[in-house]
Structure formats: C-alpha cells, structure tokens
Amino acid sequence: MKISISSDPLLSKIGPEYFFSLASEAGIDGVDLSLNFFDWQQIKNRDFSSILFDYDKSIEYAEMIDEYCRKYDMEILQTHAPFPTWYEGYPDEVNAKLTQSLINCIHITKAVGSKYLIVHPYFYSFSSDRQNTNPEIQHELNMKMYGNLIPALKETGVICCSENMWLPERRFIGKGNIYSAMCENPYEVNKLIGDLNELAGEELFGFCLDTGHCLLSGYDPCKVISLIAPTIKTFHIHDNNGIDDEHVYPYMGITDWDRFCKAVKDMGFKGHLNFEVGGCFDRFTPDALKRDKAMDIASFRMIMTAGKMFVEKITGEPYKKEGKE
Amino acid sequence: MKLSIQTKPLEPRYGLDKTLEIISKAGFDGIDLNLDLYGKCSETFEKGDYSSLIFDRSASEEYAYKLKELLEKYNLECLQSHSIMPSYYLDETMGRMAIEAHKNAIRICGIVGCRYITMHPYYSNLIEEPISEEEEARVNFGILFPALFDSLKENNVTACLEDLPCNSKKRTRSFRAILTVPQKAIKYVETLNALAGEELFKLCVDTGHLVCTSSIPYDYIKAVKDYIGITHIHDNDGLHDQHLLPYTGFTNWDQVCRGFSEVGYDKDDQNLSFEVFPIPGKLPDDLVQPYYNMANAVGRRLIDKIVNQIF
C-alpha cells in the first residue's frame, strides 16, 4: 500500500525541485498533484489565462512534473482539479470553459501516469442562499457537469472521483459553523456515482472520501466508509477540530484513527493512502521565502510515519516500499 | 398552528399540577408529555427496578386519568408525548420491559387524547460502538415496532420516529445517528407502515438535532415533507445538542420557518413543540415562569413566520 501527499499549497510556494526532493528524502511514494490554478474571482472576472484553458500548455506542465517524478523516483498517484467546476447561472460559454479545463486536467492526469482525477461536485455555496435549491437539482447539475467528461475519461482511462463537500453559512463565515454540502450524504454519493457509471456504460467514476470534511459535516467517516465502500477509489486523509477545515496531521484533531484504519481494512481497500495536510506546512513554516529545511523534512517524515503506521494497521503487515505501477 | 412545550424538567421538580399551571399561564396550547422520565435507563433498566408507573398498566392508567383532569383544569391539550429512551435493549428481560413501557405510554396517550408519541428507533448513541444497518433493521423492523402495532391501532396513536445525533466518547461534537439523512428516515416510515398495513408511523422532525449534526433543516424538511407528524424545536451552537431556546444558538430560523411553510406544515391542528429543558432546570424558582413566558413569545413569533410567511 503506497503513501502520498497532496502538493497543495506547498508545491506552488516552494517550487517543484524543493518539493519533490523533500518528498523523496522522506520516503514518500507519491503525490496528489494539485491543479488548482484558478479561483472563483478569476472566473467572475472572465480571466481564462490559466494554463488549464490551453491543452498544449497543460501537457507541457504535465511533462515538467513527469520529469521531476523521474528524477526523484516518485509517482503522481492522483490529481486534483481546480474549483469551481461549474457555475450555475453563468453564461454557457463560461461553463464550457470550465468543462474544457476539466478535460485538460484529465489529459494531464493521463500524461503524468496517474489513474485518478478528483473533481469537486457542483454545490450551492452558502446555505442562506439555499431557498432556490434542492438535492435533486444539484444531482442533475452534477450529472451534466460530470457527464461532459465521459468522452475524455473513455479516451484516457482516467477515473474521475467526486468528493464530499461542506459549506459555511454566510452570516457565520469566520465563526466556524458549517453545514454539509453535496456528496456528504452517503445516499447521494451512491446515487450520483451509480447514475454516472450507468450513463457512461462503464466504471469511469468513483469517490474520494475526505475524512476531514466528514467531521465538519457531522458524519462519522467510519460509518460513511461502510455505506459507500464500493465507490471509494481514493482518500483525502486529514484531521481537524470538527469546526474548521484545518487540514492538519492525523492525531492533531478529533478523528478516531484506529477506527478509521479498521474501517479501511474492513472495506478491503487496495489503493493508496493520500494525506491532504497542507494546513500543517503553513503552521510550521509560514514564510515560504524563509524555509527551514530541517523543519520541512521533519514535516514530511511525520506524514510518512503516520502513513506507515496506518498501512500496518490496515494490512496487518509492516509498510514495504513497492515499485512504480 | 398550536404551540406546546415539554413537561421536563418541571414535572419532577414541581409535580404535574404546578407544571401545567406554569405552562398554561405562559400561554401555551398544550404539552409534550415526557413519559421518558418514568423509564430512565440508569434508574430502572440498569438496576432492574421496574417499580415505575410506566411498567404497570393500572398505575399508568391512574396517572393518565389524573393528567386528563389537570389538562381540563388548565385548558391545555396533550399535543404529543415522548416514550422511554433508549427504546430497546437486547437483553431479554430489559427488552421485554421496554416494550411493556412503550405499550403503557401509548395507552396513556389514548386516555388523554394525545395523537402522537415520539419514539427513538433502536440505534447507538456512541460512534465508537456502532450498530450495523442490518442490525438496526433487524431490531426496528423485526422486534421493537411490530410489537407496538396493535397498541397504536387500539389507541389511535401515531408513533413519530425522531432524527437523532450521537457522540464520541470524548464528546468532541455531535455526529449523525439514525434518521438524520432524509432517505433513511423516509425508508423507515414507509417500511413500518407497510408492515403495519396502515399509517401508524410518521416523523418527529427535531431541528436541533439536525443543526448540531451539520444538516440543513430546510433541506431535510423539504425532503421528508409528507412524513412529518410532529416537531421538536430547539437551538444549539451547531456542534452540541444543547436544547436551547430558539435564537440563542446557530439555527437559521427564517430558513426553518420557510421550510415548514413551503411544505404546508402550517395547519391549525399542527404543532410546534419546544424541547428546551436544560435552562429551566437550572433556573431559580422565581425565574421559571418568566422563562416559560419568554419561550411562549418566541414560539408565537415562529408560528407567525410560518403561517404568514414572514422570512
């Protein structure tokens, strides 16, 4: 069982050379490559200058990453698309652009040799705006958004993984109170993934279970795993205090990790474990320009140590370095 | 719409007569009768002490007739009641006594003309001690609720299943337990009504339990609209099941009221019931009546919003 870390936010701050050298030195097997190259504000401003809107530049980026992987003997085990992935109410050409960026993400995923691309579902952002929403409408919009990706997924063999999301209530932003959003409800997950694979006529869609987001939405991750096990292809493993999306190391929050490992073992998971703990890097070394290599490598090794411990709990055997797929 | 409030924590403190006097004086239309007070796990089941009136048919009937008189005296209705919790135990004697208690609770409802009784399904309230979906279904669909079909029919009472939170042993925050996901809530009501052969089951929508498990009450209410029997109304910080008065926590009450209004839960015979027991339990005697007066005012405000669509 391999162990990977998410590249966001560190890779963009410290550059690929330093990032991959640290990961390699810590013994980490692979990376969840963040392709989060644009944000809401850019889309609102109709700024489509990101490389993700250009196929050639996207492939160029993938080749650059692939070089670093070869140099440091690492793998891209999963990738993460930018978000928003859809903007209901915006002109069709904006959503067409967003779809194009997701298709380019699929090609990047293939080009870096990865099998899984994580794409957030579309969901209404703030609960105080929800009077015009309902789960059926969100399901239909996501069928449309993900459905647009089917030809590229078929062409590349990449599996698109949806993810469980949370949202703050506008009047409580910054106060830590949040609600569950699209795909936190296990029944919604099974329906969405089932309907998408039926539409595709083959298994092109799966799920990335985000353990931290479960906590924020009042779901016990272990219970959710037992309810949606067949859909889970990847994980975002991280911890928090149950209130804020902190993305901190396991055991720094409220998750019961022994039970988590047991649930992963019970579901017979054969994939890799990905740690999405970007919140910690900023805590320990907040200034990207004043890196402390000893601190950085200690951070990466701490993740690797937790990963090894989890692998042993899940497989019943000590972690063993495996070759590239 | 009508407004009620539970008899806990006043009944053990003041007795039934004084409790109903306070509730009536505050302006409520009725009560939510806490029969769970008479079958507490720690005081009865764990000790094997089944001397409480809820385990005795004649004693519970005597209680019911006394209550009926007092309700008339104070011009109140028993708009809903709450049966014992936990609702079932796997131990043979405890399980049998729990079912007996539910039957007596339903009989009390029948005598006082209460149409709804809140019941917790069998579930685990600790995430560290999970019960599988299959085991929950085996007990709820195979043992607990089928044992009550006849009592519910005879007494013309509807059992309302409640959405419930659970905790971790470290009490970090509330997590979702049974029926907080609308699909499962609907499945439970439909399955039980099919087994009973008539409509004996509905839902008790507990807004506080939804909020403390990060559910959006508006979405839940809209999803379960046809299945709502009664309500438990209270507030909290979005993380813990605090049972606070509305507007003293995190709940977006405009959204909650919009939800009830949009699904048509706004009729004259429908009821908002406050489940706000912790604070009055701590208040000195001279602040109890003002607290209930305040609760009534808050409840009337919510009803005004629902009925007149003021959001």
mmCIF file of all heavy atoms in Angstrom, chain B residues 181-202:
data_model
loop_
_atom_site.group_PDB
_atom_site.id
_atom_site.type_symbol
_atom_site.label_atom_id
_atom_site.label_comp_id
_atom_site.label_asym_id
_atom_site.label_seq_id
_atom_site.Cartn_x
_atom_site.Cartn_y
_atom_site.Cartn_z
ATOM 1 N N VAL B 181 -30.449 11.461 7.958
ATOM 2 C CA VAL B 181 -30.395 11.512 6.489
ATOM 3 C C VAL B 181 -31.812 11.236 5.984
ATOM 4 O O VAL B 181 -32.401 10.212 6.351
ATOM 5 C CB VAL B 181 -29.404 10.464 5.949
ATOM 6 C CG1 VAL B 181 -29.411 10.436 4.433
ATOM 7 C CG2 VAL B 181 -27.998 10.749 6.471
ATOM 8 N N PRO B 182 -32.387 12.141 5.191
ATOM 9 C CA PRO B 182 -33.814 12.001 4.855
ATOM 10 C C PRO B 182 -34.174 10.701 4.155
ATOM 11 O O PRO B 182 -35.244 10.147 4.416
ATOM 12 C CB PRO B 182 -34.099 13.216 3.954
ATOM 13 C CG PRO B 182 -32.782 13.807 3.596
ATOM 14 C CD PRO B 182 -31.803 13.367 4.634
ATOM 15 N N GLN B 183 -33.280 10.214 3.308
ATOM 16 C CA GLN B 183 -33.603 8.966 2.584
ATOM 17 C C GLN B 183 -33.867 7.819 3.559
ATOM 18 O O GLN B 183 -34.767 7.000 3.357
ATOM 19 C CB GLN B 183 -32.452 8.577 1.635
ATOM 20 C CG GLN B 183 -32.277 9.501 0.447
ATOM 21 C CD GLN B 183 -31.333 10.656 0.727
ATOM 22 O OE1 GLN B 183 -31.103 11.038 1.874
ATOM 23 N NE2 GLN B 183 -30.798 11.253 -0.330
ATOM 24 N N LYS B 184 -33.074 7.756 4.610
ATOM 25 C CA LYS B 184 -33.240 6.669 5.574
ATOM 26 C C LYS B 184 -34.503 6.893 6.419
ATOM 27 O O LYS B 184 -35.223 5.941 6.729
ATOM 28 C CB LYS B 184 -32.004 6.582 6.483
ATOM 29 C CG LYS B 184 -32.023 5.383 7.404
ATOM 30 C CD LYS B 184 -30.661 5.145 8.023
ATOM 31 C CE LYS B 184 -30.714 4.038 9.053
ATOM 32 N NZ LYS B 184 -29.393 3.733 9.608
ATOM 33 N N ALA B 185 -34.759 8.148 6.761
ATOM 34 C CA ALA B 185 -35.958 8.457 7.548
ATOM 35 C C ALA B 185 -37.215 8.022 6.794
ATOM 36 O O ALA B 185 -38.120 7.390 7.354
ATOM 37 C CB ALA B 185 -35.996 9.954 7.862
ATOM 38 N N ILE B 186 -37.255 8.365 5.517
ATOM 39 C CA ILE B 186 -38.421 8.005 4.693
ATOM 40 C C ILE B 186 -38.552 6.484 4.581
ATOM 41 O O ILE B 186 -39.645 5.919 4.700
ATOM 42 C CB ILE B 186 -38.308 8.668 3.298
ATOM 43 C CG1 ILE B 186 -38.470 10.186 3.442
ATOM 44 C CG2 ILE B 186 -39.343 8.097 2.330
ATOM 45 C CD1 ILE B 186 -38.110 10.978 2.203
ATOM 46 N N LYS B 187 -37.401 5.829 4.400
ATOM 47 C CA LYS B 187 -37.423 4.365 4.273
ATOM 48 C C LYS B 187 -37.992 3.728 5.547
ATOM 49 O O LYS B 187 -38.777 2.782 5.476
ATOM 50 C CB LYS B 187 -35.998 3.852 4.028
ATOM 51 C CG LYS B 187 -35.897 2.354 3.847
ATOM 52 C CD LYS B 187 -34.455 1.902 3.792
ATOM 53 C CE LYS B 187 -34.360 0.437 4.184
ATOM 54 N NZ LYS B 187 -33.016 0.008 4.504
ATOM 55 N N TYR B 188 -37.620 4.261 6.709
ATOM 56 C CA TYR B 188 -38.102 3.702 7.959
ATOM 57 C C TYR B 188 -39.622 3.842 8.079
ATOM 58 O O TYR B 188 -40.310 2.893 8.432
ATOM 59 C CB TYR B 188 -37.397 4.364 9.156
ATOM 60 C CG TYR B 188 -36.264 3.511 9.689
ATOM 61 C CD1 TYR B 188 -35.211 3.129 8.862
ATOM 62 C CD2 TYR B 188 -36.254 3.048 10.998
ATOM 63 C CE1 TYR B 188 -34.188 2.322 9.328
ATOM 64 C CE2 TYR B 188 -35.230 2.238 11.472
ATOM 65 C CZ TYR B 188 -34.204 1.883 10.633
ATOM 66 O OH TYR B 188 -33.203 1.069 11.090
ATOM 67 N N VAL B 189 -40.129 5.028 7.780
ATOM 68 C CA VAL B 189 -41.583 5.244 7.909
ATOM 69 C C VAL B 189 -42.337 4.360 6.910
ATOM 70 O O VAL B 189 -43.320 3.691 7.265
ATOM 71 C CB VAL B 189 -41.926 6.735 7.693
ATOM 72 C CG1 VAL B 189 -43.443 6.932 7.651
ATOM 73 C CG2 VAL B 189 -41.329 7.581 8.812
ATOM 74 N N GLU B 190 -41.853 4.340 5.674
ATOM 75 C CA GLU B 190 -42.560 3.562 4.641
ATOM 76 C C GLU B 190 -42.532 2.062 4.961
ATOM 77 O O GLU B 190 -43.529 1.367 4.797
ATOM 78 C CB GLU B 190 -41.949 3.832 3.265
ATOM 79 C CG GLU B 190 -42.322 5.215 2.728
ATOM 80 C CD GLU B 190 -41.804 5.473 1.335
ATOM 81 O OE1 GLU B 190 -40.913 4.728 0.884
ATOM 82 O OE2 GLU B 190 -42.289 6.444 0.700
ATOM 83 N N THR B 191 -41.387 1.590 5.410
ATOM 84 C CA THR B 191 -41.265 0.161 5.714
ATOM 85 C C THR B 191 -42.199 -0.226 6.864
ATOM 86 O O THR B 191 -42.913 -1.240 6.793
ATOM 87 C CB THR B 191 -39.804 -0.178 6.089
ATOM 88 O OG1 THR B 191 -38.967 0.200 5.004
ATOM 89 C CG2 THR B 191 -39.632 -1.672 6.368
ATOM 90 N N LEU B 192 -42.199 0.586 7.910
ATOM 91 C CA LEU B 192 -43.030 0.249 9.077
ATOM 92 C C LEU B 192 -44.518 0.345 8.747
ATOM 93 O O LEU B 192 -45.301 -0.514 9.178
ATOM 94 C CB LEU B 192 -42.673 1.156 10.266
ATOM 95 C CG LEU B 192 -41.329 0.815 10.913
ATOM 96 C CD1 LEU B 192 -40.903 1.903 11.891
ATOM 97 C CD2 LEU B 192 -41.397 -0.544 11.629
ATOM 98 N N ASN B 193 -44.903 1.350 7.978
ATOM 99 C CA ASN B 193 -46.322 1.452 7.609
ATOM 100 C C ASN B 193 -46.750 0.285 6.721
ATOM 101 O O ASN B 193 -47.873 -0.215 6.838
ATOM 102 C CB ASN B 193 -46.602 2.787 6.922
ATOM 103 C CG ASN B 193 -46.647 3.935 7.919
ATOM 104 O OD1 ASN B 193 -46.938 3.717 9.102
ATOM 105 N ND2 ASN B 193 -46.351 5.139 7.473
ATOM 106 N N ALA B 194 -45.830 -0.150 5.863
ATOM 107 C CA ALA B 194 -46.141 -1.312 5.015
ATOM 108 C C ALA B 194 -46.299 -2.555 5.889
ATOM 109 O O ALA B 194 -47.213 -3.363 5.676
ATOM 110 C CB ALA B 194 -45.035 -1.515 3.976
ATOM 111 N N LEU B 195 -45.416 -2.707 6.860
ATOM 112 C CA LEU B 195 -45.518 -3.878 7.752
ATOM 113 C C LEU B 195 -46.798 -3.830 8.581
ATOM 114 O O LEU B 195 -47.437 -4.867 8.814
ATOM 115 C CB LEU B 195 -44.312 -3.918 8.697
ATOM 116 C CG LEU B 195 -42.957 -4.330 8.096
ATOM 117 C CD1 LEU B 195 -41.828 -4.087 9.090
ATOM 118 C CD2 LEU B 195 -42.977 -5.800 7.680
ATOM 119 N N ALA B 196 -47.176 -2.619 9.005
ATOM 120 C CA ALA B 196 -48.376 -2.471 9.857
ATOM 121 C C ALA B 196 -49.663 -2.571 9.037
ATOM 122 O O ALA B 196 -50.727 -2.850 9.585
ATOM 123 C CB ALA B 196 -48.328 -1.134 10.580
ATOM 124 N N GLY B 197 -49.557 -2.313 7.750
ATOM 125 C CA GLY B 197 -50.746 -2.368 6.899
ATOM 126 C C GLY B 197 -51.594 -1.115 6.983
ATOM 127 O O GLY B 197 -52.679 -1.044 6.411
ATOM 128 N N GLU B 198 -51.134 -0.126 7.705
ATOM 129 C CA GLU B 198 -51.808 1.177 7.746
ATOM 130 C C GLU B 198 -50.831 2.231 8.244
ATOM 131 O O GLU B 198 -49.723 1.909 8.683
ATOM 132 C CB GLU B 198 -53.058 1.138 8.638
ATOM 133 C CG GLU B 198 -52.800 0.831 10.084
ATOM 134 C CD GLU B 198 -54.096 0.769 10.894
ATOM 135 O OE1 GLU B 198 -54.571 1.843 11.306
ATOM 136 O OE2 GLU B 198 -54.611 -0.348 11.116
ATOM 137 N N GLU B 199 -51.249 3.505 8.176
ATOM 138 C CA GLU B 199 -50.325 4.576 8.537
ATOM 139 C C GLU B 199 -50.267 4.769 10.050
ATOM 140 O O GLU B 199 -51.070 5.508 10.626
ATOM 141 C CB GLU B 199 -50.748 5.887 7.851
ATOM 142 C CG GLU B 199 -49.618 6.909 7.850
ATOM 143 C CD GLU B 199 -50.000 8.210 7.161
ATOM 144 O OE1 GLU B 199 -49.800 8.296 5.929
ATOM 145 O OE2 GLU B 199 -50.490 9.115 7.852
ATOM 146 N N LEU B 200 -49.309 4.106 10.669
ATOM 147 C CA LEU B 200 -49.131 4.221 12.122
ATOM 148 C C LEU B 200 -47.867 4.999 12.472
ATOM 149 O O LEU B 200 -47.618 5.274 13.635
ATOM 150 C CB LEU B 200 -49.034 2.833 12.755
ATOM 151 C CG LEU B 200 -50.240 1.906 12.663
ATOM 152 C CD1 LEU B 200 -49.922 0.568 13.323
ATOM 153 C CD2 LEU B 200 -51.457 2.543 13.333
ATOM 154 N N PHE B 201 -47.048 5.308 11.457
ATOM 155 C CA PHE B 201 -45.751 5.931 11.718
ATOM 156 C C PHE B 201 -45.557 7.198 10.897
ATOM 157 O O PHE B 201 -45.950 7.275 9.734
ATOM 158 C CB PHE B 201 -44.624 4.937 11.403
ATOM 159 C CG PHE B 201 -44.601 3.772 12.347
ATOM 160 C CD1 PHE B 201 -45.377 2.643 12.078
ATOM 161 C CD2 PHE B 201 -43.874 3.809 13.514
ATOM 162 C CE1 PHE B 201 -45.402 1.578 12.958
ATOM 163 C CE2 PHE B 201 -43.894 2.742 14.406
ATOM 164 C CZ PHE B 201 -44.663 1.619 14.119
ATOM 165 N N LYS B 202 -44.964 8.179 11.542
ATOM 166 C CA LYS B 202 -44.556 9.412 10.860
ATOM 167 C C LYS B 202 -43.202 9.815 11.438
ATOM 168 O O LYS B 202 -42.567 9.027 12.152
ATOM 169 C CB LYS B 202 -45.593 10.509 11.076
ATOM 170 C CG LYS B 202 -46.848 10.320 10.230
ATOM 171 C CD LYS B 202 -47.631 11.612 10.108
ATOM 172 C CE LYS B 202 -48.570 11.538 8.918
ATOM 173 N NZ LYS B 202 -49.105 12.829 8.556
#
